[in-house]
Amino acid sequence: DGGITQSPKYLFRKEGQNVTLSCEQNLNHDAMYWYRQDPGQGLRLIYYSQIVNDFQKGDIAEGYSVSREKKESFPLTVTSAQKNPTAFYLCASSPPSGGREKLFFGSGTQLSVL
Amino acid sequence: AQTVTQSQPEMSVQEAETVTLSCTYDTSESDYYLFWYKQPPSRQMILVIRQEAYKQQNATENRFSVNFQKAAKSFSLKISDSQLGDAAMYFCAYRSVYNNNDMRFGAGTRLTVKP
């Protein structure tokens, strides 16, 4: 079945540590996205990528980094510079559509600070 | 930048009754898409319904329908014959035609369904 796989489901970060969240899709979509979800704030865009080896910052990119070396993969690194990383992180993808198509979401990663 | 506002943090409905969730948005664009997503306790985001701004006819999907008022920039979701499985967070979202990476979400409405 086609879809988006996020791992791990739960992740714990120690002070000063970088952690990487995995996102893999087999939908052959060009565009991929990372969103952060906090209670009462909806989803906010961290980074997006429209094509391999290219990505752009979203609204809240500070303290995060990404790479897009393969079409299928878009990992997100939460760096030690992100002082409030506890949140639910959602990866999404989309076919080219001029905005008509929905976003396809993974099942998310809950990141907590130890 | 476009903003999406959901003014009802929580709503409740009796099973089999009808409930309407509100959403307003702010944009200067004339063409765009609007979405309602459902997020059940599993936290998986599920598309409920989609509306194209250039269409005057309101979208419907089984028990779900929208009231799209373009001039008022309003996009409410009506759930008829509510079921226990409808209990979830509901997010309204706006997606630009001109920059289709720019999907904006509201803060969400938590819907409780009472048996």
Side-chain angles (χ1 to χ4, degrees), chain A residues 11-72:
Chain A
L11 187 58
F12 298 90
R13 194 191 88 167
K14 296 179 181 179
E15 286 289 331
Q17 187 182 39
N18 293 353
V19 293
T20 297
L21 285 60
S22 171
C23 178
E24 303 278 333
Q25 55 102 354
N26 60 4
L27 299 167
N28 201 34
H29 289 168
D30 287 312
M32 296 187 74
Y33 311 81
W34 275 106
Y35 285 91
R36 171 176 170 145
Q37 184 178 8
D38 294 280
Q41 293 194 45
L43 279 66
R44 293 181 292 167
L45 183 64
I46 305 172
Y47 267 99
Y48 64 94
S49 169
Q50 289 183 278
I51 198 168
V52 174
N53 292 324
D54 186 53
F55 47 83
Q56 283 78 42
K57 294 181 179 179
D59 297 325
I60 56 166
E62 185 174 351
Y64 301 96
S65 66
V66 294
S67 63
R68 187 86 186 276
E69 297 177 2
K70 299 185 301 181
K71 188 175 186 177
E72 302 79 16

Side-chain angles (χ1 to χ4, degrees), chain B residues 68-84:
Chain B
F68 173 49
Q69 302 289 329
K70 191 173 183 179
K73 297 179 183 175
S74 171
F75 182 60
S76 60
L77 175 69
K78 185 171 83 171
I79 306 174
S80 304
D81 185 26
S82 296
Q83 301 176 358
L84 295 177

